[in-house]
Short mmCIF file of all heavy atoms in Angstrom, two decimals:
data_model
loop_
_atom_site.label_atom_id
_atom_site.label_comp_id
_atom_site.label_asym_id
_atom_site.label_seq_id
_atom_site.Cartn_x
_atom_site.Cartn_y
_atom_site.Cartn_z
N PRO A 1 56.01 190.94 -122.36
CA PRO A 1 54.61 190.73 -122.84
C PRO A 1 54.23 189.28 -122.75
O PRO A 1 54.95 188.44 -123.28
CB PRO A 1 54.57 191.26 -124.24
CG PRO A 1 55.74 192.16 -124.38
CD PRO A 1 56.76 191.61 -123.46
N GLY A 2 53.10 188.99 -122.13
CA GLY A 2 52.60 187.60 -122.08
C GLY A 2 53.31 186.65 -121.17
O GLY A 2 53.10 185.39 -121.30
N ILE A 3 54.07 187.13 -120.27
CA ILE A 3 54.85 186.23 -119.37
C ILE A 3 54.55 186.67 -117.90
O ILE A 3 54.74 187.84 -117.52
CB ILE A 3 56.38 186.32 -119.56
CG1 ILE A 3 56.73 185.93 -121.00
CG2 ILE A 3 57.04 185.36 -118.57
CD1 ILE A 3 58.20 186.06 -121.33
N HIS A 4 53.94 185.75 -117.14
CA HIS A 4 53.55 186.06 -115.75
C HIS A 4 53.73 184.83 -114.85
O HIS A 4 53.86 183.71 -115.36
CB HIS A 4 52.05 186.48 -115.73
CG HIS A 4 51.80 187.79 -116.47
ND1 HIS A 4 51.30 187.75 -117.71
CD2 HIS A 4 51.92 189.04 -116.13
CE1 HIS A 4 51.15 189.05 -118.16
NE2 HIS A 4 51.51 189.83 -117.11
N GLU A 5 53.73 185.10 -113.59
CA GLU A 5 53.86 184.01 -112.56
C GLU A 5 52.55 183.19 -112.71
O GLU A 5 51.43 183.70 -112.71
CB GLU A 5 54.06 184.51 -111.17
CG GLU A 5 54.25 183.34 -110.20
CD GLU A 5 54.56 183.91 -108.85
OE1 GLU A 5 54.58 185.10 -108.53
OE2 GLU A 5 54.77 183.01 -107.89
N GLY A 6 52.64 181.83 -112.63
CA GLY A 6 51.51 180.99 -112.62
C GLY A 6 51.60 179.99 -111.55
O GLY A 6 52.39 180.06 -110.54
N GLU A 7 50.74 178.95 -111.58
CA GLU A 7 50.63 177.99 -110.54
C GLU A 7 51.83 177.01 -110.59
O GLU A 7 52.41 176.70 -111.67
CB GLU A 7 49.38 177.18 -110.70
CG GLU A 7 48.09 178.00 -110.42
CD GLU A 7 46.85 177.11 -110.56
OE1 GLU A 7 46.98 175.92 -110.79
OE2 GLU A 7 45.76 177.67 -110.32
N GLN A 8 52.22 176.43 -109.45
CA GLN A 8 53.29 175.47 -109.44
C GLN A 8 52.83 174.18 -110.03
O GLN A 8 51.69 173.88 -110.04
CB GLN A 8 53.69 175.19 -107.99
CG GLN A 8 54.45 176.35 -107.33
CD GLN A 8 54.92 175.97 -105.94
OE1 GLN A 8 54.21 175.34 -105.19
NE2 GLN A 8 56.15 176.39 -105.57
N TRP A 9 53.73 173.48 -110.63
CA TRP A 9 53.46 172.13 -111.11
C TRP A 9 54.75 171.28 -110.91
O TRP A 9 55.87 171.77 -110.77
CB TRP A 9 53.01 172.02 -112.54
CG TRP A 9 53.97 172.72 -113.55
CD1 TRP A 9 54.17 174.06 -113.73
CD2 TRP A 9 54.91 172.08 -114.46
NE1 TRP A 9 55.12 174.31 -114.68
CE2 TRP A 9 55.64 173.12 -115.14
CE3 TRP A 9 55.15 170.77 -114.74
CZ2 TRP A 9 56.55 172.84 -116.04
CZ3 TRP A 9 56.12 170.48 -115.69
CH2 TRP A 9 56.81 171.54 -116.36
N PHE A 10 54.55 169.97 -110.68
CA PHE A 10 55.61 169.12 -110.11
C PHE A 10 56.08 167.92 -110.91
O PHE A 10 56.68 167.08 -110.37
CB PHE A 10 55.12 168.65 -108.73
CG PHE A 10 54.68 169.84 -107.78
CD1 PHE A 10 53.41 170.17 -107.72
CD2 PHE A 10 55.61 170.54 -107.11
CE1 PHE A 10 52.94 171.20 -106.91
CE2 PHE A 10 55.19 171.63 -106.30
CZ PHE A 10 53.91 171.97 -106.21
N GLN A 11 55.81 167.93 -112.21
CA GLN A 11 55.96 166.72 -113.00
C GLN A 11 57.17 166.90 -113.99
O GLN A 11 57.11 166.32 -115.01
CB GLN A 11 54.71 166.31 -113.77
CG GLN A 11 53.66 165.82 -112.89
CD GLN A 11 52.82 166.93 -112.21
OE1 GLN A 11 52.65 167.94 -112.82
NE2 GLN A 11 52.46 166.66 -110.98
N SER A 12 58.20 167.59 -113.60
CA SER A 12 59.32 167.75 -114.60
C SER A 12 60.61 167.95 -113.86
O SER A 12 60.70 167.78 -112.60
CB SER A 12 59.02 168.92 -115.52
OG SER A 12 59.91 168.99 -116.58
N ASP A 13 61.62 168.24 -114.64
CA ASP A 13 63.03 168.12 -114.10
C ASP A 13 63.41 169.15 -113.04
O ASP A 13 64.44 168.93 -112.35
CB ASP A 13 64.03 168.16 -115.27
CG ASP A 13 64.02 166.98 -116.17
OD1 ASP A 13 63.61 165.88 -115.71
OD2 ASP A 13 64.31 167.10 -117.37
N HIS A 14 62.68 170.25 -112.93
CA HIS A 14 63.02 171.22 -111.81
C HIS A 14 62.92 170.50 -110.47
O HIS A 14 63.59 170.94 -109.49
CB HIS A 14 62.08 172.44 -111.93
CG HIS A 14 60.74 172.14 -112.00
ND1 HIS A 14 60.06 171.67 -113.10
CD2 HIS A 14 59.68 172.23 -111.05
CE1 HIS A 14 58.79 171.53 -112.92
NE2 HIS A 14 58.47 171.81 -111.65
N MET A 15 62.04 169.50 -110.31
CA MET A 15 61.84 168.90 -109.05
C MET A 15 63.08 168.12 -108.56
O MET A 15 63.29 167.90 -107.34
CB MET A 15 60.59 167.94 -109.04
CG MET A 15 59.29 168.76 -109.23
SD MET A 15 59.09 170.07 -108.12
CE MET A 15 59.07 169.29 -106.56
N ILE A 16 63.91 167.68 -109.44
CA ILE A 16 65.14 167.00 -109.07
C ILE A 16 65.97 167.95 -108.27
O ILE A 16 66.60 167.53 -107.16
CB ILE A 16 65.94 166.55 -110.34
CG1 ILE A 16 65.15 165.65 -111.09
CG2 ILE A 16 67.35 166.09 -109.94
CD1 ILE A 16 65.78 165.25 -112.45
N PHE A 17 66.02 169.22 -108.53
CA PHE A 17 66.80 170.22 -107.88
C PHE A 17 66.12 170.74 -106.55
O PHE A 17 66.76 170.85 -105.53
CB PHE A 17 67.24 171.33 -108.77
CG PHE A 17 67.97 170.82 -109.96
CD1 PHE A 17 67.31 170.55 -111.15
CD2 PHE A 17 69.37 170.64 -109.92
CE1 PHE A 17 68.02 170.01 -112.21
CE2 PHE A 17 70.09 170.15 -110.94
CZ PHE A 17 69.33 169.79 -112.14
N ALA A 18 64.75 170.84 -106.70
CA ALA A 18 64.03 171.28 -105.47
C ALA A 18 64.17 170.16 -104.42
O ALA A 18 64.33 170.49 -103.22
CB ALA A 18 62.56 171.49 -105.81
N GLN A 19 64.10 168.87 -104.82
CA GLN A 19 64.27 167.78 -103.87
C GLN A 19 65.66 167.75 -103.28
O GLN A 19 65.85 167.21 -102.18
CB GLN A 19 63.87 166.47 -104.59
CG GLN A 19 62.50 166.30 -104.89
CD GLN A 19 62.18 165.08 -105.76
OE1 GLN A 19 63.10 164.35 -106.22
NE2 GLN A 19 60.91 164.84 -106.04
N ASN A 20 66.61 168.32 -103.99
CA ASN A 20 67.99 168.45 -103.46
C ASN A 20 68.22 169.71 -102.76
O ASN A 20 69.38 170.14 -102.56
CB ASN A 20 69.06 168.18 -104.55
CG ASN A 20 69.22 166.80 -104.92
OD1 ASN A 20 70.04 166.07 -104.25
ND2 ASN A 20 68.55 166.23 -105.94
N LYS A 21 67.13 170.42 -102.45
CA LYS A 21 67.13 171.64 -101.64
C LYS A 21 67.86 172.78 -102.36
O LYS A 21 68.46 173.63 -101.81
CB LYS A 21 67.73 171.38 -100.25
CG LYS A 21 66.97 170.34 -99.49
CD LYS A 21 67.32 170.29 -98.03
CE LYS A 21 66.62 169.15 -97.31
NZ LYS A 21 65.08 169.25 -97.41
N ARG A 22 67.76 172.85 -103.70
CA ARG A 22 68.33 173.96 -104.48
C ARG A 22 67.16 174.77 -105.00
O ARG A 22 66.07 174.23 -105.43
CB ARG A 22 69.15 173.46 -105.64
CG ARG A 22 70.42 172.63 -105.21
CD ARG A 22 71.13 173.25 -104.08
NE ARG A 22 71.57 174.62 -104.32
CZ ARG A 22 71.70 175.51 -103.32
NH1 ARG A 22 71.41 175.25 -102.08
NH2 ARG A 22 72.11 176.76 -103.61
N PRO A 23 67.28 176.09 -105.01
CA PRO A 23 66.26 176.92 -105.61
C PRO A 23 66.00 176.57 -107.08
O PRO A 23 66.94 176.25 -107.80
CB PRO A 23 66.82 178.35 -105.51
CG PRO A 23 67.83 178.30 -104.36
CD PRO A 23 68.39 176.89 -104.45
N ALA A 24 64.75 176.58 -107.43
CA ALA A 24 64.35 176.18 -108.79
C ALA A 24 63.23 176.96 -109.33
O ALA A 24 62.42 177.49 -108.56
CB ALA A 24 64.01 174.66 -108.87
N MET A 25 63.12 177.07 -110.64
CA MET A 25 62.02 177.68 -111.38
C MET A 25 61.55 176.69 -112.45
O MET A 25 62.33 175.95 -113.02
CB MET A 25 62.43 179.01 -111.98
CG MET A 25 62.66 180.11 -110.99
SD MET A 25 63.19 181.70 -111.84
CE MET A 25 61.72 181.98 -112.79
N ALA A 26 60.28 176.71 -112.78
CA ALA A 26 59.75 176.02 -113.83
C ALA A 26 59.08 177.00 -114.81
O ALA A 26 58.36 177.92 -114.38
CB ALA A 26 58.73 174.95 -113.43
N ILE A 27 59.28 176.77 -116.08
CA ILE A 27 58.71 177.68 -117.14
C ILE A 27 57.98 176.89 -118.12
O ILE A 27 58.55 175.89 -118.70
CB ILE A 27 59.82 178.57 -117.78
CG1 ILE A 27 60.48 179.45 -116.66
CG2 ILE A 27 59.27 179.38 -118.91
CD1 ILE A 27 61.59 180.23 -117.20
N SER A 28 56.74 177.16 -118.40
CA SER A 28 55.95 176.39 -119.36
C SER A 28 54.80 177.27 -119.90
O SER A 28 54.74 178.46 -119.64
CB SER A 28 55.43 175.13 -118.77
OG SER A 28 54.87 174.25 -119.69
N SER A 29 53.90 176.64 -120.63
CA SER A 29 52.74 177.30 -121.13
C SER A 29 51.61 177.36 -120.08
O SER A 29 51.55 176.54 -119.20
CB SER A 29 52.18 176.62 -122.32
OG SER A 29 53.16 176.63 -123.43
N GLU A 30 50.74 178.44 -120.17
CA GLU A 30 49.64 178.52 -119.24
C GLU A 30 48.83 177.29 -119.24
O GLU A 30 48.32 176.84 -118.17
CB GLU A 30 48.82 179.74 -119.61
CG GLU A 30 47.55 179.97 -118.80
CD GLU A 30 46.78 181.12 -119.28
OE1 GLU A 30 47.16 181.82 -120.28
OE2 GLU A 30 45.70 181.40 -118.66
N HIS A 31 48.65 176.71 -120.37
CA HIS A 31 47.75 175.52 -120.51
C HIS A 31 48.47 174.21 -120.46
O HIS A 31 48.19 173.26 -121.17
CB HIS A 31 46.96 175.58 -121.84
CG HIS A 31 46.07 176.81 -121.93
ND1 HIS A 31 45.00 177.03 -121.13
CD2 HIS A 31 46.12 177.88 -122.82
CE1 HIS A 31 44.43 178.14 -121.35
NE2 HIS A 31 45.08 178.68 -122.40
N MET A 32 49.49 174.17 -119.54
CA MET A 32 50.32 172.92 -119.42
C MET A 32 49.47 171.70 -119.10
O MET A 32 49.72 170.62 -119.69
CB MET A 32 51.35 173.15 -118.25
CG MET A 32 52.31 172.01 -118.12
SD MET A 32 53.27 171.74 -119.59
CE MET A 32 54.46 170.54 -119.01
N ALA A 33 48.49 171.80 -118.29
CA ALA A 33 47.64 170.59 -117.89
C ALA A 33 46.92 170.05 -119.13
O ALA A 33 46.90 168.84 -119.33
CB ALA A 33 46.64 171.05 -116.80
N MET A 34 46.43 170.94 -119.99
CA MET A 34 45.76 170.50 -121.21
C MET A 34 46.77 169.92 -122.14
O MET A 34 46.50 168.92 -122.87
CB MET A 34 45.07 171.73 -121.87
CG MET A 34 44.19 171.31 -123.05
SD MET A 34 45.11 171.12 -124.60
CE MET A 34 45.71 172.81 -124.84
N ILE A 35 47.94 170.49 -122.28
CA ILE A 35 48.95 169.97 -123.18
C ILE A 35 49.31 168.53 -122.77
O ILE A 35 49.48 167.58 -123.65
CB ILE A 35 50.23 170.90 -123.16
CG1 ILE A 35 49.88 172.22 -123.80
CG2 ILE A 35 51.40 170.17 -123.88
CD1 ILE A 35 50.97 173.26 -123.67
N CYS A 36 49.46 168.32 -121.48
CA CYS A 36 49.83 166.98 -120.98
C CYS A 36 48.72 165.93 -121.23
O CYS A 36 48.99 164.84 -121.61
CB CYS A 36 50.16 166.99 -119.52
SG CYS A 36 51.66 167.83 -119.05
N SER A 37 47.46 166.37 -121.08
CA SER A 37 46.35 165.46 -121.19
C SER A 37 45.86 165.23 -122.61
O SER A 37 45.26 164.18 -122.87
CB SER A 37 45.19 165.98 -120.31
OG SER A 37 44.70 167.20 -120.87
N GLU A 38 46.12 166.15 -123.57
CA GLU A 38 45.54 165.98 -124.82
C GLU A 38 46.56 166.02 -126.08
O GLU A 38 46.23 165.60 -127.11
CB GLU A 38 44.53 167.16 -125.10
CG GLU A 38 43.38 167.12 -124.11
CD GLU A 38 42.39 168.15 -124.34
OE1 GLU A 38 42.35 168.72 -125.48
OE2 GLU A 38 41.58 168.49 -123.48
N ILE A 39 47.72 166.54 -125.77
CA ILE A 39 48.73 166.79 -126.92
C ILE A 39 49.95 166.03 -126.75
O ILE A 39 50.46 165.37 -127.69
CB ILE A 39 49.06 168.33 -127.05
CG1 ILE A 39 47.72 169.12 -127.38
CG2 ILE A 39 50.08 168.52 -128.05
CD1 ILE A 39 47.91 170.62 -127.33
N ALA A 40 50.65 166.12 -125.61
CA ALA A 40 51.98 165.54 -125.40
C ALA A 40 51.91 164.03 -125.71
O ALA A 40 50.95 163.36 -125.41
CB ALA A 40 52.46 165.76 -124.02
N HIS A 41 53.06 163.51 -126.24
CA HIS A 41 53.28 162.17 -126.52
C HIS A 41 52.34 161.63 -127.67
O HIS A 41 52.17 160.45 -127.79
CB HIS A 41 53.06 161.27 -125.28
CG HIS A 41 53.91 161.67 -124.11
ND1 HIS A 41 53.74 161.17 -122.89
CD2 HIS A 41 54.89 162.59 -124.03
CE1 HIS A 41 54.58 161.72 -122.04
NE2 HIS A 41 55.35 162.61 -122.69
N THR A 42 51.83 162.43 -128.46
CA THR A 42 50.96 162.14 -129.65
C THR A 42 51.56 162.73 -130.92
O THR A 42 52.24 163.76 -130.86
CB THR A 42 49.51 162.52 -129.42
OG1 THR A 42 49.39 163.93 -129.70
CG2 THR A 42 49.02 162.19 -128.06
N PRO A 43 51.06 162.26 -132.06
CA PRO A 43 51.43 162.84 -133.37
C PRO A 43 50.95 164.32 -133.50
O PRO A 43 51.44 165.04 -134.35
CB PRO A 43 50.79 162.00 -134.40
CG PRO A 43 50.63 160.64 -133.76
CD PRO A 43 50.32 160.98 -132.25
N HIS A 44 49.91 164.71 -132.62
CA HIS A 44 49.42 166.06 -132.68
C HIS A 44 50.34 167.09 -132.13
O HIS A 44 50.10 168.34 -132.38
CB HIS A 44 48.04 166.14 -131.95
CG HIS A 44 47.08 165.11 -132.44
ND1 HIS A 44 46.57 165.09 -133.71
CD2 HIS A 44 46.46 164.11 -131.78
CE1 HIS A 44 45.73 164.17 -133.87
NE2 HIS A 44 45.62 163.49 -132.68
#
């Protein structure tokens, strides 16, 4: 429940392995872009 395939994003540690030509998956919240722009790295 509540888990589905979403859009690719490229700003985290899975890209280290993709760049080394290894299969990779990234798992995050649907609103990852908003989390990065408004929440992450703050006291909130």
Side-chain angles (χ1 to χ4, degrees):
I3 304 178
H4 295 97
E5 184 176 3
E7 295 183 0
Q8 289 184 320
W9 54 285
F10 305 97
Q11 291 79 37
S12 190
D13 290 333
H14 52 283
M15 294 309 299
I16 297 171
F17 301 93
Q19 289 170 356
N20 279 277
K21 303 191 183 304
R22 299 314 305 149
M25 290 179 63
I27 297 174
S28 190
S29 297
E30 177 183 358
H31 299 296
M32 182 62 170
M34 186 280 296
I35 292 170
C36 289
S37 64
E38 299 182 21
I39 297 171
H41 305 171
T42 76
H44 303 300

